[in-house]
Every structure is written in structure tokens, then in C-alpha cells.
Amino acid sequence: MNSINHFFLYCAGVHEETLKKYPQEHNKYVAIGATIFFTGLFAAMSGGYAMYFVFSGTYLDWLLAIVFGIIWGLMIFNMDRYIVLSINKSKTGGFQFLQAFPRILLAILIGIVISRPLELKIFDKEIRENLKTTYIANERAKTDSLNIIFNKKYAFELNQLKALTTERDSLDANIKADRQKLNYEIFGNKTTETSGVVGYGPYAKRKELELERSSVYLDSLRSKVSVKESVIRDKQKVEGILNQKGLSNASLDSAVNLAGFADRNSALGNLKIKANGKVDQATENAVNFIGLLFIFLECLPVFVKLLSGRDAYDRAIRNQRIIDEYESDASIDTEKAAIDHLKEASIDISINRRLKKLNEEIEEEV
């Protein structure tokens, strides 16, 4: 067997000296070991990618992500290896399933944990767009909230400005209309309000005088509106409303790049929901499919071990286990028997010592 097969057999946790006697079983256990290895590899990639966003922006963030990814992958690899090794093929099929059931649940949980960071990477473009939309909406909501608070706080001043603006606009429109009528009167255009006689008559003089007074008042209104608008702007500046700026493309990209794991995970969940609140079935199916795929990969070694029949290697391991257990029990019995014999000898020695001491005491009395 080459070194790759040796490595995959190690991953499967087989006893190679025993397996060498049954070469027909090599491929099965190589496949099981390869599945366990690649599951651990996916776990390392997933954990490293997740930790990259945890340590993002810190010193040597990429190195910390790699180290944690390797540790996470090794932990999942070791756990998967133990799950497969712990299934006893010497038992009945029903007992094997009961034995493997909690391990399958654990494999499903591991599959869910592994798949999530990889889903974030697969849907990275969609997540970035969703985050941009969310950030823009949050910025608008913040601005709207400040405006609502400002409008309530300075309602009196705003109403004054609105009334002055309405009066100014109305007067400006009236002046334009009256000026048009004046021109009609001067140039002899007949209307319901003009005489139709060409020339600068009394009506034209009176209309022009009214326009001059209205224009003076309009100028005063414009001045009042300008002053009031300046006061309002100063108050907006104090309240921080004028400091609110829309997010540029560069600032949006920067914010998205700094988004943490929680924000990206939330954005991935939001991809399933359309703008109208309905579920986007296509996106939901794609996310669920990828999650189920990794869950299946995580459970695959357990399923292969359960579905495979009891082969010659399993029987050899079972027989060797019986022999080892019997040898261990026999060794215990031997040690117990030796201790019992030592106990009898120890009793004889103790009796002789006491008899000797008793004889010496009798001789002294005589």
C-alpha cells in the first residue's frame, strides 16, 4: 500500500496489521478514511474563514485565522474518527443503529456548524449587496428619525417658515399675473380686466403703483424667509442633522469589508426574504441544499460503517477483542490466585513468628 492509502487507513482508525490479511477490504476503509479526512479539511476551511471575520482588522488576522482553522479541523477530524471507531460491528443491526443514533445527531450538528461559514463564502456577492442595502436603509432611517425629532422640537419655527414661504410664493405668483395684465393694458390686449385701448392710461398707472408696493412687500417677505431659513439651518447644525451624509460607494465597500460574522450571517438569512416580505424560494432552496450537502458529508462515514456488512476484518477484530478480554480476565484470575497463595504463606510466617515469641517468653519465666 502506498503512503496515501496508509494515511487514509489511519484516518479510518483501522488496525493495519490485521487488515493486511484481508486485502479485499482495503478499498472500503480507504474510502471511509478519505471521507473523514475531507470532512476535517472542510471543517478547517470553514473555521478559518469564520475566524477571519472575528479577528479582521487586528494584527496578523490571517495567521490567527489559519491557526484556529487548523485546530478546529483537527478537532472535527478526531471527533469523526472516534464516531466511526466507536460503532461495534459485532452487534446486531438494530443495536448498531441505536449505538450510532446519538453519533448521527452529533454528526448533523457538526455538519450544520461546518456548512454555515462556507455558505457565507459561497453567497459572498449576494451578502455584500444585501449589506449595502441594509446600511443605506439604516442611514436613511437614522436621518428620518433625526428629522422627525427636529420637526417636533422646532414645530413653531418651522410653521412660521412655512407660512412665510407660502405667502411669498403666493404674492410672487400674483405679481407675475398682475404684471401680465399691465402689459395687456398698455399694449391694448382686450380681456375681462383690461380696456383693450393702447396706451398708458389711469388703470395702467394704478396697476403699476400696486405692483411697486407689492414688490416692496415681496422683498421684505424674501428677507424674512431668508433670515428664518438661516436660523433653521443653524438649529439643524446644532442638532447634527446637517452632519448626516449619504454613504458613498467607497464608504459602503469599506463598511462591508469590516462587517463581522454576525452581520454576514444575518444578511444570509435576509437573502431568503424578498422586498415584499415573501420567501425567495430559489435562494432558500440553494442555501438549504448546501447545508444538507455538508450534513450528508459529515454523516457519510457513519452511514458507510452502518450499511457495510460484517466483513472478515470486523470478525478478526471481534475475535482479537474476545482473546484480549479473555487474556485480561485470565491475568486477573492469575494475580488473584497468586495473592491468595501469598496470603496463606504470609499467615504461616506470622504464626511461626508469634510461636517463636511465645516460646521465648515461656523460657524467660522458667
Side-chain angles (χ1 to χ4, degrees):
M1 291 183 291
N2 56 37
S3 57
I4 296 178
N5 286 346
H6 276 295
F7 175 72
F8 286 150
L9 290 176
Y10 167 78
C11 295
V14 299
H15 189 264
E16 289 194 46
E17 293 300 322
T18 303
L19 187 62
K20 286 179 181 179
K21 303 175 184 178
Y22 313 101
Q24 69 275 11
E25 306 297 342
H26 287 182
N27 291 337
K28 181 177 76 174
Y29 289 100
V30 167
I32 293 175
T35 305
I36 294 173
F37 169 74
F38 285 111
T39 303
L41 181 62
F42 281 128
M45 295 168 58
S46 174
Y49 183 73
M51 285 300 105
Y52 175 76
F53 291 104
V54 174
F55 297 114
S56 180
T58 61
Y59 181 66
L60 293 179
D61 49 2
W62 59 271
L63 181 60
L64 292 172
I66 292 174
V67 171
F68 181 86
I70 292 173
I71 295 173
W72 177 254
L74 290 174
M75 185 186 72
I76 298 299
F77 167 79
N78 185 66
M79 190 174 298
D80 285 342
R81 191 167 179 265
Y82 166 75
I83 289 174
V84 173
L85 282 173
S86 61
I87 298 176
N88 189 354
K89 294 298 295 182
S90 63
K91 303 296 183 179
T92 62
F95 184 85
Q96 289 180 38
F97 178 78
L98 291 176
Q99 188 184 33
F101 183 72
R103 292 164 176 79
I104 293 173
L105 294 180
L106 180 60
I108 292 174
L109 178 61
I110 294 173
I112 294 173
V113 173
I114 290 175
S115 65
R116 199 60 174 180
L118 294 178
E119 289 172 359
L120 296 179
K121 182 58 179 176
I122 293 171
F123 293 97
D124 182 62
K125 291 182 179 179
E126 292 80 1
I127 288 172
R128 293 176 70 88
E129 292 301 320
N130 185 273
L131 285 174
K132 288 181 180 180
T133 303
T134 301
Y135 291 158
I136 291 173
N138 290 340
E139 191 70 17
R140 288 175 178 172
K142 182 179 179 181
T143 302
D144 292 342
S145 178
L146 288 175
N147 284 327
I148 291 173
I149 295 173
F150 182 85
N151 292 339
K152 289 182 178 179
K153 186 174 182 180
Y154 299 102
F156 180 74
E157 290 85 349
L158 290 172
N159 288 332
Q160 282 185 328
L161 176 61
K162 183 178 179 181
L164 288 172
T165 303
T166 302
E167 186 179 2
R168 179 200 64 188
D169 294 341
S170 177
L171 181 58
D172 187 38
N174 291 335
I175 289 175
K176 290 179 180 179
D178 289 343
R179 197 175 300 280
Q180 184 68 31
K181 294 176 184 178
L182 177 60
N183 291 333
Y184 284 167
E185 177 66 24
I186 294 173
F187 294 105
N189 294 331
K190 177 65 175 175
T191 65
T192 56
E193 297 183 9
T194 58
S195 62
V197 179
V198 178
Y200 191 74
Y203 176 82
K205 292 180 181 179
R206 187 173 66 253
K207 205 66 178 175
E208 186 175 21
L209 184 61
E210 291 177 357
L211 283 173
E212 289 178 357
R213 287 197 296 266
S214 296
S215 296
V216 172
Y217 183 59
L218 178 61
D219 290 339
S220 68
L221 282 177
R222 287 172 176 169
S223 177
K224 289 180 181 179
V225 169
S226 178
V227 171
K228 184 62 68 174
E229 286 177 341
S230 177
V231 172
I232 295 296
R233 279 195 299 270
D234 291 339
K235 293 182 182 297
Q236 287 177 332
K237 186 176 181 180
V238 172
E239 297 293 336
I241 292 178
L242 296 182
N243 297 330
Q244 298 296 315
K245 298 180 180 180
L247 294 173
S248 63
N249 290 332
S251 59
L252 274 175
D253 290 336
S254 177
V256 170
N257 291 333
L258 294 176
F261 184 83
D263 287 343
R264 290 177 175 269
N265 185 55
S266 177
L268 179 59
N270 293 335
L271 290 180
K272 302 177 184 180
I273 309 299
K274 295 181 181 179
N276 57 9
K278 295 183 179 180
V279 177
D280 188 346
Q281 200 64 45
T283 304
E284 184 180 31
N285 291 339
V287 174
N288 292 339
F289 173 78
I290 294 172
L292 291 174
L293 177 62
F294 282 100
I295 292 173
F296 173 75
L297 290 176
E298 181 63 32
C299 296
L300 188 59
V302 181
F303 291 151
V304 171
K305 188 73 172 178
L306 284 175
L307 295 176
S308 62
R310 191 180 305 164
D311 53 36
Y313 170 77
D314 291 324
R315 290 186 174 88
I317 292 296
R318 181 197 60 185
N319 294 336
Q320 186 62 46
R321 185 180 292 113
I322 293 173
I323 292 172
D324 292 341
E325 291 176 354
Y326 182 80
E327 184 178 0
S328 177
D329 293 339
S331 176
I332 293 174
D333 293 338
T334 301
E335 291 296 327
K336 286 182 178 179
I339 291 172
D340 290 339
H341 285 297
L342 289 174
K343 182 178 179 181
E344 293 175 359
S346 177
I347 292 173
D348 292 338
I349 293 172
S350 179
I351 291 173
N352 291 332
R353 185 172 63 248
R354 289 182 177 275
L355 287 174
K356 183 178 179 181
K357 183 178 180 181
L358 181 61
N359 290 333
E360 290 176 352
E361 292 178 352
I362 292 174
E363 290 177 357
E364 287 179 358
E365 290 179 358
V366 174

